[in-house]
Amino acid sequence: MALLLNFEFYDLPLRHPFTISRYTVAVQKTVVVCISDGNDSGYGEATVNPYYNSTVEKLTQSLSNVKPIFSSLSDMHPKELWNLLSPTLKDDYFALCAIDLAYWDFYARKNKKTLREYWSEESSNTPLTSFTIGIDSIAVMQQKIIEKPWPIYKIKLGTNEDIKIVESLRKITDAVFRIDANCAWNADQTIANSIVLKELDVEFIEQPLHVNDIDGMKKVKSKSVLPIIADESCQREEDVLSCSALFHGINIKLMKCGGISPALRMIEKARENKLLIMAGCMTESSVGISGLVQLAPLLDYLDADGALLLSRDIAEGVHFDFGKIEYPKGFGSGIELGSK
């Protein structure tokens, strides 16, 4: 079966500048991969992200390097394709993710199935997605919540007034809060903050410490009164076991682990180690988000708001009704490329 792999870069303008403890972004650059046999086409996505060394130049080179493989590709399962490509793309899991998503989408469409049918029965019992509030002035963060009523908010922290921010936001909503410090705290600070944040009805804290602070994370896990979820510390499937000793749960991001194929293995390994499981996103379009939410029936928590942060999307796909997933019709991930 001869296939054709194409890719194109897009600029994704955000509704508001998005700030975390490391950087601010107003326009997110992303690449969309299309895999097609001329009849069926599948789509995947990876963003440009300097923190993870994902650049336009690197993505272009990686995707161009593997493009010839598809012209002579025989019919194979997506997991087999991932194993075939991963040695070549071992230094560019963002590109591997975009290809893996596109091929899963293509494979499911060709076999006239939804993507999630390959690992779960259709179920309405899927977690709600959170909506992220980036770091800003307290007044602006409050206004973002007022503009977007939602049942669960992920609050980005890493400032000199983190507790004041959460206290101020709690005054205007009784929604569930989840905190993401993006490595900005130390161990004692995290433990102390967990006590106050629990009183403010925070559900959990995501990646409070730097990935290299192993001793700190051991201390935090034993003394925090809130669950601690790994993000930056859990990038690839080999990280799951080490995270089980340091965290109460993990956040799986497809671009960091290389796509759906390894994410499925990570979920299985996390369940074996009795870890809470969350899947999260980058600031990406509905191409990537529609692939991500196919995993939702397997998860405890979901953070799939990337496309909701955009002022203009490049695809039609999954929608959310007050946090609840509304899967698109059609096979695969249900993506239709084209501006909403």
Side-chain angles (χ1 to χ4, degrees):
M1 177 180 63
L3 297 178
L4 184 64
L5 182 151
N6 288 312
F7 59 93
E8 184 173 351
F9 286 90
Y10 295 87
D11 288 331
L12 305 176
L14 276 65
R15 293 183 187 276
H16 303 281
F18 184 72
T19 300
I20 64 172
S21 62
R22 291 191 294 266
Y23 58 81
T24 298
V25 62
V27 178
Q28 175 65 58
K29 188 170 285 292
T30 196
V31 66
V32 173
V33 169
C34 175
I35 295 175
S36 178
D37 65 358
N39 294 313
D40 296 291
S41 298
Y43 300 95
E45 180 177 10
T47 61
V48 170
N49 191 316
Y51 182 78
Y52 293 104
N53 194 29
S54 175
T55 64
V56 171
E57 294 76 18
K58 186 177 181 181
L59 287 165
T60 299
Q61 182 176 359
S62 297
L63 294 169
S64 298
N65 286 346
V66 300
K67 189 173 181 177
I69 295 174
F70 288 84
S71 62
S72 58
L73 190 69
S74 60
D75 189 18
M76 65 173 61
H77 193 278
K79 293 179 180 179
E80 295 175 352
L81 178 65
W82 194 92
N83 291 333
L84 173 69
L85 295 179
S86 57
T88 303
L89 295 175
K90 64 181 184 296
D91 295 323
D92 194 349
Y93 269 37
F94 276 56
L96 184 56
C97 169
I99 295 171
D100 184 73
L101 278 170
Y103 190 75
W104 267 109
D105 187 26
F106 164 79
Y107 186 83
R109 289 182 195 234
K110 193 163 188 67
N111 288 284
K112 294 181 169 48
K113 290 185 176 183
T114 65
L115 205 46
R116 57 197 176 278
E117 284 184 75
Y118 285 96
W119 46 77
S120 66
E121 295 181 358
E122 195 67 40
S123 171
S124 58
N125 187 28
T126 55
L128 303 179
T129 186
S130 55
F131 182 83
T132 304
I133 305 297
I135 295 172
D136 213 313
S137 69
I138 290 176
V140 171
M141 293 176 78
Q142 287 179 320
Q143 186 59 37
K144 289 177 181 178
I145 286 178
I146 292 169
E147 289 177 5
K148 191 73 173 180
W150 210 252
I152 306 168
Y153 293 103
K154 177 191 274 195
I155 312 298
K156 294 285 188 177
L157 296 179
T159 75
N160 294 324
E161 51 180 9
D162 285 343
I163 297 301
K164 183 180 178 181
I165 287 172
V166 180
E167 289 173 339
S168 299
L169 298 183
R170 177 51 74 206
K171 291 177 182 177
I172 63 169
T173 179
D174 59 0
V176 173
F177 282 175
R178 298 168 179 170
I179 298 304
D180 187 357
N182 284 116
C183 309
W185 297 346
N186 60 41
D188 291 337
Q189 188 179 11
T190 301
I191 294 164
N193 284 349
S194 74
I195 297 169
V196 180
L197 293 173
K198 185 175 182 180
E199 293 297 316
L200 292 168
D201 291 327
V202 167
E203 189 173 24
F204 61 71
I205 301 171
E206 188 178 342
Q207 195 70 42
L209 274 58
H210 191 276
V211 294
N212 293 331
D213 191 357
I214 304 301
D215 291 338
M217 281 314 311
K218 289 179 180 177
K219 182 178 180 180
V220 167
K221 185 182 180 185
S222 66
K223 295 188 176 182
S224 171
V225 299
L226 288 174
I228 308 295
I229 308 296
D231 183 5
E232 285 87 346
S233 292
C234 189
Q235 296 190 32
R236 301 187 179 181
E237 54 188 298
E238 56 264 31
D239 296 327
V240 175
L241 187 58
S242 60
C243 282
S244 67
L246 304 174
F247 297 88
H248 303 97
I250 60 170
N251 182 8
I252 298 170
K253 290 187 176 175
L254 299 185
M255 291 180 208
K256 291 194 289 185
C257 73
I260 284 176
S261 297
L264 290 169
R265 297 192 293 268
M266 292 174 75
I267 290 169
E268 183 178 358
K269 198 171 294 185
R271 290 295 178 208
E272 291 172 358
N273 286 277
K274 297 179 171 52
L275 286 165
L276 297 166
I277 304 173
M278 174 181 176
C281 63
M282 304 297 190
T283 306
E284 58 200 84
S285 78
S286 286
V287 174
I289 298 299
S290 297
L292 171 66
V293 297
Q294 304 296 319
L295 294 172
L298 306 178
L299 307 173
D300 299 306
Y301 310 116
L302 179 65
D303 177 34
D305 68 337
L308 297 175
L309 303 176
L310 305 178
S311 63
R312 182 179 58 82
D313 206 340
I314 58 171
E316 186 71 38
V318 66
H319 291 266
F320 297 98
D321 180 11
F322 200 59
K324 183 179 180 181
I325 299 169
E326 292 184 343
Y327 286 108
K329 296 180 180 178
F331 302 121
S333 300
I335 300 160
E336 292 183 18
L337 198 59
S339 181
K340 289 183 179 179

